[in-house]
Amino acid sequence: MAPVAAAASLVFSCSSSTTVSVSSLLFNNPLHFANSTSPLFSYPSSQMHTLVVTAPTSAAPAAPPPTTKAISRLSVGDTRLATNPPRNLNCTSSSSNSSASSSSSSSNSSNLRSSSSFTGNKLVVKSTFPATIAAPPAGFVAGCVRAMSLFGGDSNGKSSSQNEEIRRGSSGEPLYTTLAGHPVTDDNNSLTVGEGGTLLFEDLHLLEKLAHFNRERVPERVVHAKGAGAHGYFEVTKDVSDLCKAKFLSEVGKKTEVFGRWSTVTGESGYADTARDPRGFSIKFYTEEGNWDMVGNNTPVFFIRDGIKFPDLIHSQKRNPQTHMKDPNAFWDFLSLVPESLHQVLITFSPRGVPDGHRHMHGYGSHTYKWVNSEGKAHWVKFHFLTDQGIKNLTHEQSVEIAGINPDYSTEDLFQNIQKGNYPSWTFKVQVMPLEDAPKYRFDPFDLTKVWSHKDYPLREVGKLVFNRNPTNYFAEVEQVAFSPAHMVAGIEASPDRVLQSRLFAYDDAARYRAGGNYLQIPINQCPFAKVQTYARDGFMTVNNNGGSKPNYYPNSFEDLPRPDPHTPDVHPYKLEGGVVGRYPPRKWVEQDDYEQPRALWQGMSAEDQEMTVKNIAGHIQGAKEFIIKRQIAVFRKCDESLASKVEEALDMKKKSPEPYTMVA
């Protein structure tokens, strides 16, 4: 099979019995036979898939169209998943070939068929010629191809630029150019006046390299700076249409492309992966209704329940403004004054506090969300992503040792396992609470420091997450990806959770600061299956057509421009207790016992887990001032006397121990 390429499409001429896989293609238009306006089959705009073309051994070689030229490389083996592909595709061709085969092609056009199916996680589209056709139509398959694939590369690690024709210099070797495309003459010597003379401003290549180097870094994430990512898919395994009308959940077996990012929370970009710290767990679902960002952690609760305290929490866990070192005083001073943090504190210092890599931990939405079905009936839900690899954790000693040997331990573990074909997966489940249960539940169901009892609201399976492809470029994908809990599709809505309500603004705003106001135009953040039609214009780094010549305001008098759709409400009405606007805690926060759930967690631990938790707390808190330690011990005592006593005993032993102090784990 000899590949040839037309100016705006890929064309293949079949000459023998063979199969070729074409990868990294985004077809923005229907595929067509060469020299024909009849579509081979149609896909929704910007759908991504793998194409397989088959020709029989009896097919004679076909001459390439005169307007095409040969290309030297085909990219094979792409395992990227198509979202909701059509099944059992059929087509006929009205194309003709040479005069010798024209009548044969025409008379047998009804026998020319195409079909699609899944092989593993690869969508395979097969098109076959009957043996009675003397030769396949010239340039059998053609597709309009976007110049750059969605994520900048294929499963073999080749970027889209590698799959394009290489520009070569006079020697025939690949040509090194400036950013503007000008040939580089010499990359070892700057332009000077004589061999020992001064440099010249006209050396564009020198100035461009230095200027670009100075601008390579974008602002680091304030939280979740150190992270790893991967591509994959989500598949619905159980019918949840009675709960949620989101189209990507509409039927069992439906698959959706996803990108995941896992991270530590408080450390910087170069921080050790094995720090004792909550882990970020975020998934971007590329659905036909737009992106859904599930932005959570590896714990079902958090330290605070009002977003106004988030900056303070993070400041207390970051570096001291004078010493620029981690500060146990700040860490424990804040937590001891915010007793609702105790549930998260115990989880963080328990044996679960340092996961053995990103693959061996659960993920949670943590917040309460609302799911609405197609009939408008709503429920409160909590999201759980349970690791299929099993829970594994590291001890304090293991964490500290690994931090010194391989600070990128979790990042490496994830990348290498995917590279080896050992694809990590998680089972997605939800807890479901009727709306009418919320006011009478014994805890505030929107309090981020509390969990819902599984006895009251058992888990219900939804589907499976699988991650099967590593990023091609870390910066382009893992660093530039931006998640926001405000990005929800129809059927998924927010709850009154105060921290969630704060994050609905803060995450988009952080992305605008880091990557610019047009960060959603960055390929990793775009949804290829839902076209953006907006009146937003201009701004730093606008890289699309910016709306062209169309008006940039609404309302307007032009019928072919976007209009709001009142039949797709983004919020389902629900009742809450009314009252006067003001700043005060909810009544349940005052009435409920903030020590009950931490007490149950502590008392439910085995003796071994209790001992490990106490050891971790004592090792960490011993660096704080004595009055802060005493206040935190008092918080522990309100939870459980044995917890406080054991921490005091462990502290006495730590003070006598020659072991060096560390806040790493």
Side-chain angles (χ1 to χ4, degrees), residues 435-468:
L435 294 189
E436 56 271 18
D437 283 15
K440 56 189 178 185
Y441 196 56
R442 62 183 184 276
F443 298 110
D444 176 6
F446 313 119
D447 182 348
L448 186 55
T449 69
K450 303 290 182 288
V451 296
W452 299 355
S453 167
H454 286 209
K455 293 180 181 179
D456 297 336
Y457 304 103
L459 293 175
R460 179 171 168 178
E461 185 175 329
V462 181
K464 184 80 71 176
L465 272 174
V466 178
F467 293 91
N468 59 5

Side-chain angles (χ1 to χ4, degrees), residues 116-195:
S116 70
S117 61
F118 272 102
T119 300
N121 63 351
K122 182 188 296 185
L123 173 63
V124 178
V125 181
K126 293 183 178 179
S127 300
T128 306
F129 292 101
T132 53
I133 295 182
F140 170 55
V141 179
C144 293
V145 183
R146 201 164 83 178
M148 182 182 293
S149 65
L150 174 63
F151 300 121
D154 62 23
S155 61
N156 298 320
K158 297 174 183 175
S159 69
S160 57
S161 60
Q162 287 175 300
N163 293 326
E164 296 169 357
E165 184 176 1
I166 296 174
R167 182 180 173 188
R168 300 184 182 276
S170 57
S171 66
E173 297 296 321
L175 179 65
Y176 183 3
T177 75
T178 66
L179 294 178
H182 308 134
V184 171
T185 303
D186 186 344
D187 191 51
N188 294 317
N189 300 290
S190 301
L191 189 63
T192 61
V193 179
E195 64 182 59

Side-chain angles (χ1 to χ4, degrees), residues 276-277 303 317 331-332 335 342-354 396 602 605 609-621 636 662-665:
R276 185 171 299 279
D277 196 23
F303 296 99
Q317 299 196 7
F331 187 99
W332 289 101
L335 294 178
L342 186 55
H343 199 168
Q344 176 70 68
V345 168
L346 284 183
I347 293 174
T348 301
F349 286 92
S350 76
R352 293 172 54 188
V354 185
H396 167 81
W602 167 256
M605 290 183 185
D609 283 356
Q610 286 188 351
E611 180 182 356
M612 188 69 70
T613 301
V614 165
K615 180 181 177 183
N616 292 332
I617 292 173
H620 195 287
I621 200 174
F636 290 146
T662 176
M663 286 184 69
V664 172

Side-chain angles (χ1 to χ4, degrees), residues 240-309:
V240 290
S241 58
D242 61 313
L243 296 175
C244 188
K245 64 182 178 182
K247 290 183 179 179
F248 80 97
L249 298 174
S250 62
E251 58 181 308
V252 173
K254 194 165 187 178
K255 295 185 178 181
T256 299
E257 280 199 54
V258 299
F259 183 81
R261 189 177 187 273
W262 302 265
S263 57
T264 52
V265 175
T266 60
E268 300 82 11
S269 182
Y271 209 61
D273 282 347
T274 57
R276 185 171 299 279
D277 196 23
R279 301 297 192 267
F281 190 104
S282 297
I283 312 296
K284 187 179 293 290
F285 294 74
Y286 299 98
T287 88
E288 64 260 56
E289 297 179 288
N291 290 343
W292 174 43
D293 290 353
M294 200 301 298
V295 195
N297 282 338
N298 72 323
T299 60
V301 296
F302 199 55
F303 296 99
I304 58 172
R305 56 190 174 199
D306 193 314
I308 201 169
K309 298 310 299 172

Side-chain angles (χ1 to χ4, degrees), residues 564-640:
D565 184 357
H567 299 293
T568 57
D570 56 350
V571 176
H572 176 271
Y574 61 95
K575 292 183 178 180
L576 285 176
E577 293 183 25
V580 178
V581 173
R583 296 182 184 273
Y584 38 75
R587 175 176 50 82
K588 280 196 172 183
W589 289 13
V590 177
E591 296 174 352
Q592 67 193 17
D593 182 359
D594 286 330
Y595 299 98
E596 181 178 333
Q597 291 194 5
R599 185 180 300 119
L601 174 62
W602 167 256
Q603 294 176 352
M605 290 183 185
S606 65
E608 182 182 4
D609 283 356
Q610 286 188 351
E611 180 182 356
M612 188 69 70
T613 301
V614 165
K615 180 181 177 183
N616 292 332
I617 292 173
H620 195 287
I621 200 174
Q622 67 172 320
K625 294 182 183 296
E626 191 63 29
F627 80 92
I628 294 174
I629 294 176
K630 289 181 178 179
R631 186 168 61 215
Q632 185 63 44
I633 293 292
V635 172
F636 290 146
R637 185 157 280 115
K638 290 180 180 178
C639 174
D640 189 281

Side-chain angles (χ1 to χ4, degrees), residues 225-237:
K226 176 66 179 294
H231 300 274
Y233 66 91
F234 170 73
E235 180 176 5
V236 179
T237 57

